[in-house]
Coordinates of all heavy atoms in Angstrom, one line a residue:
G1 N -2.0 3.5 -14.1 CA -0.6 3.3 -13.9 C -0.2 2.0 -13.2 O 0.8 1.9 -12.6
G2 N -1.1 1.0 -13.3 CA -0.8 -0.3 -12.6 C -1.3 -0.3 -11.2 O -1.2 -1.4 -10.6
A3 N -1.8 0.8 -10.7 CA -2.3 0.8 -9.3 C -3.7 0.3 -9.3 O -4.5 0.3 -10.3 CB -2.3 2.2 -8.7
I4 N -4.2 -0.2 -8.1 CA -5.6 -0.6 -8.0 C -6.5 0.6 -7.9 O -6.1 1.6 -7.5 CB -5.8 -1.6 -6.8 CG1 -5.5 -0.8 -5.5 CG2 -4.9 -2.8 -6.8 CD1 -5.8 -1.5 -4.2
R5 N -7.8 0.4 -8.3 CA -8.8 1.4 -8.2 C -9.4 1.4 -6.8 O -9.4 0.3 -6.1 CB -9.8 1.2 -9.3 CG -9.3 1.4 -10.7 CD -10.4 1.1 -11.7 NE -11.6 2.0 -11.5 CZ -12.8 1.5 -11.3 NH1 -13.0 0.2 -11.2 NH2 -13.8 2.4 -11.2
L6 N -10.0 2.5 -6.4 CA -10.6 2.5 -5.1 C -11.7 1.4 -5.0 O -11.8 0.8 -4.0 CB -11.3 3.9 -4.9 CG -12.0 4.1 -3.6 CD1 -11.0 4.2 -2.4 CD2 -12.9 5.4 -3.6
E7 N -12.4 1.2 -6.1 CA -13.5 0.2 -6.1 C -12.9 -1.2 -5.9 O -13.6 -2.1 -5.4 CB -14.3 0.2 -7.4 CG -15.3 1.3 -7.5 CD -14.7 2.7 -7.9 OE1 -13.4 2.7 -8.0 OE2 -15.4 3.6 -8.0
D8 N -11.6 -1.4 -6.2 CA -11.0 -2.7 -6.0 C -10.9 -3.1 -4.5 O -10.7 -4.2 -4.1 CB -9.6 -2.8 -6.6 CG -9.7 -2.7 -8.1 OD1 -10.7 -3.2 -8.7 OD2 -8.7 -2.2 -8.7
L9 N -11.0 -2.1 -3.6 CA -11.0 -2.2 -2.2 C -12.3 -2.6 -1.6 O -12.4 -3.0 -0.5 CB -10.5 -1.0 -1.5 CG -9.0 -0.5 -1.8 CD1 -8.7 0.8 -1.2 CD2 -8.0 -1.6 -1.4
F10 N -13.4 -2.4 -2.4 CA -14.8 -2.6 -1.9 C -15.0 -4.1 -1.5 O -14.4 -5.0 -2.1 CB -15.8 -2.2 -2.9 CG -16.0 -0.7 -3.1 CD1 -15.1 0.2 -2.5 CD2 -17.0 -0.2 -3.8 CE1 -15.2 1.5 -2.7 CE2 -17.2 1.1 -4.0 CZ -16.3 2.0 -3.4
G11 N -15.8 -4.3 -0.5 CA -16.2 -5.6 -0.1 C -17.7 -5.6 0.3 O -18.5 -4.8 -0.3
D12 N -18.1 -6.5 1.1 CA -19.5 -6.5 1.6 C -19.7 -5.3 2.5 O -18.8 -4.8 3.1 CB -19.8 -7.8 2.4 CG -19.7 -9.0 1.5 OD1 -19.9 -8.9 0.3 OD2 -19.3 -10.1 2.1
E13 N -20.9 -4.8 2.5 CA -21.2 -3.6 3.3 C -21.0 -3.9 4.8 O -21.4 -4.9 5.3 CB -22.7 -3.2 3.0 CG -22.9 -2.6 1.7 CD -24.3 -1.8 1.6 OE1 -24.9 -1.7 2.7 OE2 -24.6 -1.4 0.5
L14 N -20.3 -2.9 5.4 CA -20.1 -2.9 6.8 C -21.1 -2.0 7.4 O -21.0 -0.8 7.2 CB -18.6 -2.5 7.1 CG -18.2 -2.6 8.6 CD1 -18.3 -4.0 9.1 CD2 -16.9 -2.0 8.8
L15 N -22.0 -2.5 8.2 CA -23.1 -1.7 8.7 C -22.8 -0.9 10.0 O -23.4 0.0 10.3 CB -24.3 -2.6 8.9 CG -24.8 -3.3 7.7 CD1 -26.1 -4.1 8.1 CD2 -25.1 -2.4 6.5
Q16 N -21.7 -1.4 10.7 CA -21.4 -0.7 12.0 C -20.8 0.6 11.7 O -20.2 0.9 10.6 CB -20.4 -1.6 12.8 CG -19.0 -1.6 12.2 CD -18.1 -2.5 13.0 OE1 -18.5 -3.6 13.5 NE2 -16.9 -2.1 13.2
D17 N -20.9 1.5 12.6 CA -20.3 2.8 12.5 C -19.1 3.0 13.4 O -19.2 2.9 14.6 CB -21.4 3.9 12.9 CG -20.9 5.3 12.8 OD1 -19.9 5.5 12.1 OD2 -21.5 6.2 13.4
G18 N -17.9 3.2 12.7 CA -16.7 3.2 13.5 C -16.5 4.5 14.2 O -15.8 5.4 13.8
V19 N -17.3 4.7 15.3 CA -17.3 6.0 16.0 C -16.0 6.3 16.6 O -15.8 7.5 17.0 CB -18.4 6.0 17.1 CG1 -19.8 5.8 16.4 CG2 -18.2 4.8 18.0
A20 N -15.1 5.4 16.8 CA -13.9 5.7 17.4 C -12.9 6.4 16.5 O -11.8 6.8 16.9 CB -13.2 4.4 18.0
A21 N -13.2 6.4 15.2 CA -12.2 6.9 14.2 C -12.1 8.4 14.4 O -13.0 9.1 14.7 CB -12.7 6.6 12.8
L22 N -10.9 8.9 14.2 CA -10.6 10.3 14.2 C -9.9 10.7 13.0 O -8.9 10.1 12.6 CB -9.7 10.6 15.4 CG -9.1 12.1 15.5 CD1 -10.3 13.0 15.8 CD2 -8.1 12.2 16.6
A23 N -10.3 11.8 12.3 CA -9.7 12.3 11.1 C -8.7 13.3 11.5 O -9.1 14.3 12.1 CB -10.7 12.8 10.1
L24 N -7.5 13.2 11.1 CA -6.5 14.1 11.5 C -6.0 15.0 10.3 O -5.6 14.4 9.3 CB -5.2 13.4 12.0 CG -5.4 12.5 13.2 CD1 -4.2 11.8 13.6 CD2 -5.9 13.3 14.4
P25 N -6.1 16.3 10.4 CA -5.6 17.2 9.3 C -4.1 17.2 9.3 O -3.4 16.7 10.3 CB -6.1 18.5 9.7 CG -6.2 18.5 11.2 CD -6.6 17.1 11.5
C26 N -3.5 17.7 8.3 CA -2.0 17.8 8.2 C -1.5 19.0 8.9 O -2.0 20.1 8.6 CB -1.6 17.8 6.7 SG 0.1 18.1 6.5
V27 N -0.5 18.8 9.7 CA 0.2 20.0 10.3 C 1.7 19.6 10.4 O 2.0 18.4 10.4 CB -0.3 20.3 11.7 CG1 -1.7 20.7 11.7 CG2 0.0 19.2 12.7
Y28 N 2.5 20.6 10.5 CA 3.9 20.3 10.7 C 4.2 20.3 12.2 O 3.7 21.1 13.0 CB 4.8 21.4 10.1 CG 5.1 21.0 8.6 CD1 4.5 21.8 7.6 CD2 6.0 20.0 8.3 CE1 4.7 21.5 6.3 CE2 6.2 19.7 7.0 CZ 5.6 20.4 6.0 OH 5.8 20.1 4.7
A29 N 5.0 19.3 12.7 CA 5.3 19.2 14.1 C 6.7 18.5 14.1 O 7.1 17.9 13.1 CB 4.3 18.4 14.8
P30 N 7.3 18.5 15.3 CA 8.6 17.8 15.4 C 8.4 16.3 15.1 O 7.3 15.7 15.3 CB 8.9 18.0 16.9 CG 8.2 19.2 17.3 CD 7.0 19.2 16.5
P31 N 9.4 15.7 14.5 CA 9.3 14.3 14.1 C 8.8 13.4 15.2 O 9.2 13.5 16.4 CB 10.7 13.9 13.7 CG 11.3 15.2 13.2 CD 10.7 16.2 14.1
G32 N 7.8 12.6 14.9 CA 7.2 11.7 15.9 C 6.2 12.2 16.8 O 5.6 11.5 17.6
R33 N 5.9 13.5 16.7 CA 4.9 14.1 17.6 C 3.7 14.7 16.9 O 2.8 15.3 17.5 CB 5.6 15.2 18.4 CG 6.7 14.8 19.3 CD 6.9 15.7 20.4 NE 5.8 15.8 21.3 CZ 5.5 16.9 22.1 NH1 6.2 18.0 22.0 NH2 4.4 16.9 22.9
A34 N 3.6 14.6 15.5 CA 2.5 15.2 14.8 C 1.1 14.7 15.3 O 0.2 15.5 15.6 CB 2.6 15.0 13.3
N35 N 1.0 13.4 15.4 CA -0.3 12.8 15.8 C -0.6 13.2 17.3 O -1.7 13.5 17.6 CB -0.3 11.3 15.7 CG -0.5 10.9 14.3 OD1 -0.9 11.7 13.4 ND2 -0.4 9.6 14.0
E36 N 0.5 13.2 18.1 CA 0.3 13.5 19.5 C -0.2 14.9 19.7 O -1.2 15.2 20.4 CB 1.6 13.4 20.2 CG 1.6 13.7 21.7 CD 3.0 13.7 22.3 OE1 3.9 12.9 21.7 OE2 3.3 14.4 23.3
I37 N 0.4 15.9 18.9 CA 0.0 17.3 19.0 C -1.4 17.5 18.5 O -2.2 18.2 19.1 CB 1.0 18.2 18.3 CG1 2.3 18.2 19.1 CG2 0.5 19.6 18.1 CD1 3.4 18.9 18.4
M38 N -1.7 16.8 17.3 CA -3.1 17.0 16.7 C -4.1 16.4 17.6 O -5.2 17.0 17.8 CB -3.1 16.4 15.3 CG -2.3 17.2 14.3 SD -2.5 16.6 12.6 CE -1.5 15.1 12.7
A39 N -3.8 15.2 18.2 CA -4.8 14.6 19.0 C -5.1 15.4 20.3 O -6.2 15.6 20.7 CB -4.3 13.2 19.5

């Protein structure tokens, strides 16, 4: 549909491990506070 493919985002391998990353699930919360509550 004119969008780029996931592979179009690929680059050179990044060997470091982004240990600081946090995966947040979806929840409902008051506007502006979803990330705060999940964290």
Side-chain angles (χ1 to χ4, degrees):
I4 63 172
R5 294 174 60 239
L6 182 67
E7 283 81 355
D8 293 332
L9 297 174
F10 285 11
D12 295 333
E13 289 194 6
L14 183 65
L15 303 184
Q16 72 182 41
D17 182 16
V19 295
L22 172 67
L24 300 177
C26 172
V27 298
Y28 274 105
R33 296 202 66 206
N35 281 352
E36 177 184 335
I37 290 173
M38 288 185 287

